[in-house]
């Protein structure tokens, strides 16, 4: 069996191990007196054994210091798609700060989800941190089926929810289930408030109206972005008017307004009354090309409570990046968790590199 080529790693751990092995091997070489060593013919095999151990340790040292950083050159620029949902803006802002702190060049593109999935397919985007399941299932399905995008196995958020909601005073008046909506048609003005056109949440409402599910055939869907919908809901709340809208958690709406999520949805928004997860989507070959960034994305998980806290200052007009930096300074345990096993773009310690960047 041919021996491996000499190792050139200069890590302190490897240097110490190499020195120790050489000292032991030197002792074996010195003790060649037949009277002290009854089996001198076994020295060559021992030498081969130590050489093999040295080679294995060398490989381990090289892997530990350079493997994560040895990515394709294209990985340095990370092109991120972002939908205009505050939770996705918050988590994408965190990823942006971490990536830039590690020495990558993160660039964000704001678009609706269908354009983002197409952008990943067309190699114009690399990652997307906002795949809400099941709300976006219909939109992402053809891209997944064609192996044009890849959904990371572990969700970044496991305790989300998205379904129809009403202010608490509306629920107290009797509108508590999907079947109750039609009973309050006049007070609701025959309107259901959704988010941006083409979203999965809006598609579900359209389907209910078109099929007269829950008796909604005479209702009209009001489409707008998140901000527009929330402004309309807030106006209704200020006037104590009836309103039904798409609600979800995590989101500051659950902190800023007293709302109730409707039950009896018959799984139109998924099982368990709209229970949802949020996952990261990448190009199909991204994990193989960019293992270091992929490790960061795998580590980057949140709870609904954490995301809601991140969103509050963003809703108050602070930039997502400033909010992310403040969070990392105040929550060093999250910084350690998210950067476990992650190096800087040039192979240095990821935690130390990002901590240094936060001081600027």
């Amino acid at each position: 069996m041919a021996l491996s080529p000499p190792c050139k790693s200069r890590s302190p751990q490897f240097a110490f191990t190499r020195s120790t092995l050489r000292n032991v091997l030197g002792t074996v070489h010195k003790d060649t007196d037949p009277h002290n060593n009854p089996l001198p013919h076994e020295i060559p095999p021992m030498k081969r054994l130590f050489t093999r151990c040295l080679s294995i340790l060398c490989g381990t040292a090289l892997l530990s210091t350079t493997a994560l950083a040895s990515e394709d050159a294209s990985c340095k620029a990370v092109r991120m798609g972002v939908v205009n949902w505050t939770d996705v803006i918050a988590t994408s802002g965190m990823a942006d700060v971490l990536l830039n702190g590690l020495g990558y060049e993160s660039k964000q593109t704001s678009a609706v989800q269908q354009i983002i999935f197409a952008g990943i397919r067309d190699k114009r985007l690399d990652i997307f941190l906002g795949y809400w399941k099941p709300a976006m299932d219909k939109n992402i399905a053809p891209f997944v089926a064609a192996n044009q995008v890849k959904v990371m196995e572990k969700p970044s958020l496991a305790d989300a929810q998205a379904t129809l909601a009403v202010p608490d005073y509306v629920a107290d008046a009797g509108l508590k289930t999907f079947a109750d909506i039609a009973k309050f048609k006049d007070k609701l003005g025959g309107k259901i408030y959704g988010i941006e056109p083409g979203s999965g949440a809006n598609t579900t409402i359209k389907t209910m109206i078109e099929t007269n599910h829950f008796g909604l055939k005479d209702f009209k869907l009001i489409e707008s972005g998140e901000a527009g919908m929330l402004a309309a809901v807030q106006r209704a709340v200020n006037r104590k008017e009836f309103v039904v809208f798409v609600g979800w958690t995590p989101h500051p709406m659950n902190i800023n307004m007293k709302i109730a999520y409707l039950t009896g949805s018959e799984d139109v928004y998924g099982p368990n009354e709209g229970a949802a997860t949020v996952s990261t989507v990448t190009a199909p070959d991204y994990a193989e090309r960019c293992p270091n960034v992929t490790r960061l994305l795998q580590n980057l998980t949140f709870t609904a409570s954490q995301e809601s806290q991140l969103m509050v200052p963003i809703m108050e007009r602070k930039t997502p990046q400033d909010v992310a930096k403040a969070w990392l300074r105040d929550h060093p345990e999250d910084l350690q968790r998210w950067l476990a096993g992650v190096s800087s773009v040039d192979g240095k310690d990821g935690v130390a590199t990002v901590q240094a960047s936060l001081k600027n």
Side-chain angles (χ1 to χ4, degrees):
M1 180 184 295
L3 296 178
S4 300
C7 175
K8 296 182 180 180
S9 172
R10 297 181 179 177
S11 71
Q13 297 90 339
F14 175 75
F16 173 79
T17 305
R18 179 175 59 185
S19 176
T20 302
L21 283 173
R22 282 180 172 173
N23 288 339
V24 174
L25 188 57
T27 300
V28 174
H29 275 295
K30 290 177 182 178
D31 194 12
T32 57
D33 188 328
H35 298 290
N36 295 330
N37 186 0
L39 297 173
H41 61 281
E42 291 189 1
I43 293 175
M46 292 182 70
K47 182 177 180 180
R48 285 196 298 271
L49 174 61
F50 279 114
T51 304
R52 173 54 64 188
C53 290
L54 188 63
S55 176
I56 292 171
L57 286 166
C58 170
T60 302
L62 286 172
L63 283 172
S64 65
T65 57
T66 63
L68 289 176
S70 59
E71 298 180 304
D72 188 275
S74 64
C75 298
K76 186 172 183 180
V78 182
R79 302 166 299 175
M80 187 186 317
V82 184
V83 292
N84 196 29
W85 297 10
T86 309
D87 65 292
V88 181
I89 291 172
T91 56
S92 299
M94 185 66 71
D96 184 66
V97 167
L98 291 170
L99 286 165
N100 286 323
L102 290 168
Y104 290 91
E105 298 170 358
S106 173
K107 179 183 179 181
Q108 296 188 344
T109 298
S110 181
V112 297
Q113 56 197 264
Q114 296 94 326
I115 292 178
I116 290 174
F117 297 143
I120 295 175
R121 176 198 64 195
D122 298 338
K123 304 185 187 306
R124 291 181 286 107
L125 294 173
D126 301 306
I127 63 175
F128 172 52
L129 275 65
Y131 164 38
W132 273 74
K133 180 180 179 61
M136 296 183 181
D137 281 357
K138 292 180 181 178
N139 288 332
I140 198 174
F143 298 96
V144 173
N147 195 34
Q148 295 167 336
V149 302
K150 184 176 182 179
V151 180
M152 298 189 77
E153 184 175 350
K154 182 181 178 182
S156 58
L157 179 68
D159 57 342
Q161 182 183 17
T163 187
L164 295 184
V166 296
D168 61 345
Y169 58 84
V170 175
D172 292 341
L175 204 172
K176 298 181 178 181
T177 72
F178 276 64
D180 293 331
I181 298 174
K183 300 175 186 177
F184 292 87
K185 177 178 175 292
D186 291 340
K187 286 192 172 184
L188 291 168
K191 299 176 182 178
I192 300 175
Y193 287 83
I195 47 179
E196 74 270 11
S199 66
N202 287 13
T203 299
T204 297
I205 295 170
K206 285 183 176 181
T207 300
M208 288 191 292
I209 292 173
E210 291 169 358
T211 61
N212 196 30
H213 200 176
F214 303 111
L216 298 179
K217 66 178 181 178
D218 294 325
F219 276 75
K220 180 181 180 181
L221 169 65
I222 307 301
E223 297 186 297
S224 65
E226 173 191 328
M229 183 199 75
L230 289 175
V233 173
Q234 188 63 62
R235 284 195 299 271
V237 169
N238 293 341
R239 300 167 183 168
K240 292 296 180 181
E241 296 174 346
F242 275 43
V243 62
V244 59
F245 58 96
V246 176
W248 64 91
T249 184
H251 194 279
M253 73 174 79
N254 300 278
I255 300 172
N256 299 332
M257 295 185 288
K258 294 180 179 180
I259 63 177
Y261 290 95
L262 302 185
T263 59
S265 63
E266 298 180 7
D267 293 347
V268 294
Y269 277 108
N272 301 318
E273 305 296 355
T277 60
V278 182
S279 295
T280 296
V281 180
T282 70
D285 62 342
Y286 198 72
E288 290 73 26
R289 289 191 295 108
C290 308
N292 194 48
V293 178
T294 299
R295 174 65 63 86
L296 170 62
L297 297 176
Q298 291 170 336
N299 291 348
L300 197 59
T301 60
F302 304 84
T303 65
S305 175
Q306 286 175 322
E307 289 196 17
S308 292
Q309 292 176 63
L310 285 167
M311 283 186 271
V312 170
I314 293 174
M315 299 284 284
E316 295 171 351
R317 303 302 178 90
K318 290 187 178 180
T319 70
Q321 286 73 17
D322 285 344
V323 172
K325 290 176 182 177
W327 184 275
L328 291 171
R329 293 187 189 105
D330 295 340
H331 299 82
E333 70 284 359
D334 284 334
L335 177 64
Q336 294 282 343
R337 178 170 63 88
W338 290 332
L339 294 179
V342 178
S343 69
S344 67
V345 73
D346 56 357
K348 297 178 182 178
D349 180 76
V351 173
T353 302
V354 173
Q355 285 176 332
S357 74
L358 294 175
K359 295 178 182 178
N360 299 331

